[in-house]
Short mmCIF file of all heavy atoms in Angstrom, two decimals:
data_model
loop_
_atom_site.label_atom_id
_atom_site.label_comp_id
_atom_site.label_asym_id
_atom_site.label_seq_id
_atom_site.Cartn_x
_atom_site.Cartn_y
_atom_site.Cartn_z
N ASP A 369 -37.41 13.84 42.19
CA ASP A 369 -37.99 12.68 41.73
C ASP A 369 -37.18 12.18 40.48
O ASP A 369 -37.26 12.79 39.58
CB ASP A 369 -39.47 12.80 41.46
CG ASP A 369 -40.12 11.51 41.06
OD1 ASP A 369 -39.42 10.46 41.34
OD2 ASP A 369 -41.18 11.48 40.45
N LYS A 370 -36.43 10.99 40.72
CA LYS A 370 -35.67 10.55 39.57
C LYS A 370 -36.16 9.20 39.19
O LYS A 370 -36.64 8.37 40.05
CB LYS A 370 -34.20 10.47 39.86
CG LYS A 370 -33.55 11.86 40.02
CD LYS A 370 -32.06 11.77 40.28
CE LYS A 370 -31.51 13.18 40.45
NZ LYS A 370 -30.10 13.20 40.65
N GLU A 371 -36.01 8.89 37.89
CA GLU A 371 -36.62 7.56 37.33
C GLU A 371 -35.43 6.88 36.46
O GLU A 371 -34.76 7.51 35.81
CB GLU A 371 -37.79 7.80 36.44
CG GLU A 371 -38.36 6.57 35.89
CD GLU A 371 -39.52 6.78 34.99
OE1 GLU A 371 -39.35 7.54 34.03
OE2 GLU A 371 -40.67 6.38 35.30
N LEU A 372 -35.19 5.63 36.81
CA LEU A 372 -34.31 4.82 36.07
C LEU A 372 -34.76 4.54 34.60
O LEU A 372 -35.86 3.92 34.50
CB LEU A 372 -33.94 3.61 36.81
CG LEU A 372 -32.81 2.64 36.11
CD1 LEU A 372 -31.55 3.38 35.95
CD2 LEU A 372 -32.73 1.29 36.79
N GLN A 373 -34.07 4.92 33.59
CA GLN A 373 -34.49 4.62 32.33
C GLN A 373 -33.27 4.11 31.51
O GLN A 373 -32.09 4.07 31.88
CB GLN A 373 -34.88 5.98 31.58
CG GLN A 373 -36.23 6.46 32.10
CD GLN A 373 -36.68 7.65 31.30
OE1 GLN A 373 -36.09 8.14 30.28
NE2 GLN A 373 -37.90 8.16 31.65
N PHE A 374 -33.54 3.43 30.31
CA PHE A 374 -32.50 2.87 29.60
C PHE A 374 -32.56 3.56 28.13
O PHE A 374 -33.52 3.79 27.64
CB PHE A 374 -32.74 1.33 29.40
CG PHE A 374 -32.58 0.60 30.66
CD1 PHE A 374 -33.57 0.44 31.49
CD2 PHE A 374 -31.26 0.18 31.00
CE1 PHE A 374 -33.48 -0.30 32.69
CE2 PHE A 374 -31.05 -0.57 32.17
CZ PHE A 374 -32.11 -0.77 33.08
N GLU A 375 -31.31 3.97 27.87
CA GLU A 375 -31.09 4.78 26.68
C GLU A 375 -30.26 3.98 25.58
O GLU A 375 -29.30 3.41 25.97
CB GLU A 375 -30.44 6.11 26.97
CG GLU A 375 -30.34 7.16 25.87
CD GLU A 375 -29.67 8.44 26.24
OE1 GLU A 375 -28.47 8.35 26.48
OE2 GLU A 375 -30.38 9.35 26.50
N LYS A 376 -30.69 4.09 24.37
CA LYS A 376 -29.84 3.40 23.34
C LYS A 376 -28.63 4.07 23.15
O LYS A 376 -28.48 5.35 23.15
CB LYS A 376 -30.69 3.39 22.05
CG LYS A 376 -30.09 2.50 20.87
CD LYS A 376 -30.92 2.29 19.73
CE LYS A 376 -31.20 3.54 18.92
NZ LYS A 376 -32.01 3.23 17.83
N HIS A 377 -27.41 3.31 23.02
CA HIS A 377 -26.18 3.87 22.97
C HIS A 377 -25.46 3.41 21.65
O HIS A 377 -25.40 2.25 21.47
CB HIS A 377 -25.39 3.48 24.17
CG HIS A 377 -23.80 3.77 24.12
ND1 HIS A 377 -23.40 5.03 24.09
CD2 HIS A 377 -22.91 2.91 24.04
CE1 HIS A 377 -22.05 4.86 24.03
NE2 HIS A 377 -21.73 3.59 23.96
N GLU A 378 -24.91 4.23 20.81
CA GLU A 378 -24.14 3.76 19.62
C GLU A 378 -22.72 3.47 19.89
O GLU A 378 -22.05 4.21 20.56
CB GLU A 378 -24.18 4.88 18.53
CG GLU A 378 -25.62 5.06 17.93
CD GLU A 378 -25.57 6.15 16.74
OE1 GLU A 378 -24.47 6.58 16.48
OE2 GLU A 378 -26.66 6.22 16.12
N GLY A 379 -22.32 2.21 19.35
CA GLY A 379 -20.94 1.84 19.55
C GLY A 379 -20.03 2.50 18.56
O GLY A 379 -20.56 3.14 17.68
N ILE A 380 -18.77 2.34 18.77
CA ILE A 380 -17.72 2.97 17.86
C ILE A 380 -17.89 2.56 16.40
O ILE A 380 -17.67 3.42 15.49
CB ILE A 380 -16.28 2.71 18.42
CG1 ILE A 380 -15.29 3.59 17.74
CG2 ILE A 380 -15.93 1.32 18.11
CD1 ILE A 380 -14.03 3.70 18.49
#
Side-chain angles (χ1 to χ4, degrees):
D369 182 17
K370 293 185 178 179
E371 181 182 62
L372 179 65
Q373 294 189 352
F374 291 91
E375 187 178 73
K376 189 166 72 176
H377 167 73
E378 287 186 358
I380 195 165

